[in-house]
Amino acid sequence: ALAWIADQPGTLSSHIIQIDGIQREYELYTLAAYDGDASWPLVINLHGYTSETQFQIDVSQMNAVADTAHFLVAYPRGLTVTRTPPDYLPDFVPASGAGWHIPDVPSEQNDIAFLIELIESLEMSHAVDSQRVHLMGLSMGGSMSLHAAGQLKEQLASVASVAAFPTNLTLTNAQPGPPISHMIIHGSEDGIFSTEGKVGHYESLSNTMDALRVDGECEGEFMETQLPDLDGEDGSTVTLFQAIDCNEDREYSYYR
C-alpha cells in the first residue's frame, strides 16, 4: 500500500465568465500549497447529464488527489440541454437537464467556446502549465470531453472519459491537429453506452479504441493486463488495454 501525506486542504471558489452574452459558472479548487511561483497542471472536470458540480466534486474525489499530486481543478457547470429522440440514449434517460452541447444533443450554448475561455482566463489569473491542461468527465461530461478532444487539440494534453465514449459525429467532426492522449473507463454492463456499439450512433468500444490508436500513430496493438481484484465483494474486475509504441509519448488506455 502507498501512504500519501496530503498538504493542508485547499479552497473551493465560485467564478463567472460571459460567453456570447450568457453567464457561465465554474468552481475552482486551489490548494493551500499553491503560491503561483511555479506553473501547475490544470484538470477540468465535467459533470454528467442532469447532474451538477457538487455531485461531480463528491463522486470524483479529485480534490483529495490534487492535494497530493499538486494540480488545480476546475468544475464547470453545464446549462440545460434537451434530447431529440430517437438518439443513442435509452428511453429511461430524462428528456432534458443540465448537460453539454455535443454534436448529438442540439443546444444554443457554445461549450467549446466556454472551455477555451475557461482555459485562457485561468492561464491569465493563475500560473497554469499550458502544456499540461487535461479534460475529463463522467457520462455526458465524458462525451463532452471526447468531443472537445477533436476540437481543442492545441489546448489539451489529454482527455479521459468515465462511462461514455465518442459517437460517430464526434469522430467525424474532429479537426486536424496533433493527437492527444485518451483514457476511457467503461463498465462492460453499462446500461446507456453498450460496449457493442449502436448502429448509426457509435461504434463498439474496441473499434473506437482502434481508431484512436491509429490516429495516435501507435505502431503496436493493445496490451491486455488483468489488474488485481482489490475488492472481492463488489462483483467487478478490471482489465486494462493499453496501446504500445505510440508517437510522442501519447497514451491510449481503456479500463474495462
Side-chain angles (χ1 to χ4, degrees):
L2 296 177
W4 296 97
I5 301 177
D7 295 317
Q8 179 182 350
T11 58
L12 194 67
S13 55
S14 299
H15 302 267
I16 295 174
I17 55 180
Q18 296 285 332
I19 304 294
D20 299 330
I22 300 175
Q23 183 172 290
R24 303 303 304 266
E25 303 173 3
Y26 68 94
E27 305 289 325
L28 179 67
Y29 183 73
T30 308
L31 284 67
Y34 172 80
D35 57 15
D37 288 341
S39 296
W40 281 21
L42 168 66
V43 174
I44 302 172
N45 192 339
L46 303 180
H47 64 74
Y49 182 46
T50 73
S51 186
E52 46 91 32
T53 54
Q54 188 58 55
F55 177 82
Q56 189 66 12
I57 292 169
D58 295 338
V59 73
S60 69
Q61 302 182 49
M62 187 160 283
N63 293 350
V65 181
D67 284 336
T68 60
H70 285 195
F71 55 85
L72 304 173
V73 192
Y75 299 92
R77 186 183 306 277
L79 300 179
T80 299
V81 297
T82 302
R83 293 180 52 199
T84 55
D87 56 15
Y88 65 93
L89 297 172
D91 292 340
F92 63 79
V93 176
S96 65
W100 308 99
H101 183 193
I102 56 178
D104 313 79
V105 180
S107 173
E108 295 298 323
Q109 68 195 59
N110 189 336
D111 284 321
I112 293 297
F114 179 28
L115 291 173
I116 292 173
E117 180 63 26
L118 174 61
I119 293 169
E120 291 180 349
S121 63
L122 287 175
E123 287 178 342
M124 292 181 61
S125 63
H126 292 71
V128 172
D129 185 344
S130 62
Q131 302 301 309
R132 298 166 72 189
V133 177
H134 310 277
L135 178 63
M136 63 150 294
L138 171 65
S139 191
M140 185 181 279
S143 295
M144 182 65 208
S145 298
L146 295 166
H147 170 54
Q151 308 298 315
L152 304 177
K153 293 184 176 181
E154 299 293 343
Q155 289 91 347
L156 299 174
S158 73
V159 296
S161 171
V162 180
F165 41 102
T167 62
N168 294 343
L169 287 175
T170 286
L171 295 176
T172 57
N173 288 343
Q175 300 298 307
I180 65 176
S181 296
H182 281 66
M183 179 173 71
I184 292 179
I185 302 173
H186 205 80
S188 59
E189 299 299 320
D190 189 287
I192 295 180
F193 267 100
S194 167
T195 55
E196 299 302 314
K198 187 173 184 179
V199 176
H201 294 284
Y202 58 91
E203 293 292 322
S204 68
L205 194 44
S206 59
N207 287 347
T208 296
M209 293 306 299
D210 273 335
L212 294 174
R213 177 184 62 82
V214 171
D215 184 61
E217 300 177 356
C218 303
E219 295 182 2
E221 298 290 334
F222 283 96
M223 179 174 63
E224 180 177 342
T225 304
Q226 186 67 42
L227 300 184
D229 186 4
L230 301 180
D231 186 345
E233 298 181 357
D234 68 356
S236 68
T237 59
V238 181
T239 305
L240 168 63
F241 299 85
Q242 191 167 31
I244 58 177
D245 297 330
C246 298
N247 187 35
E248 297 180 354
D249 296 325
R250 304 301 187 208
E251 296 183 26
Y252 297 86
S253 302
Y254 160 39
Y255 291 82
R256 183 185 66 194

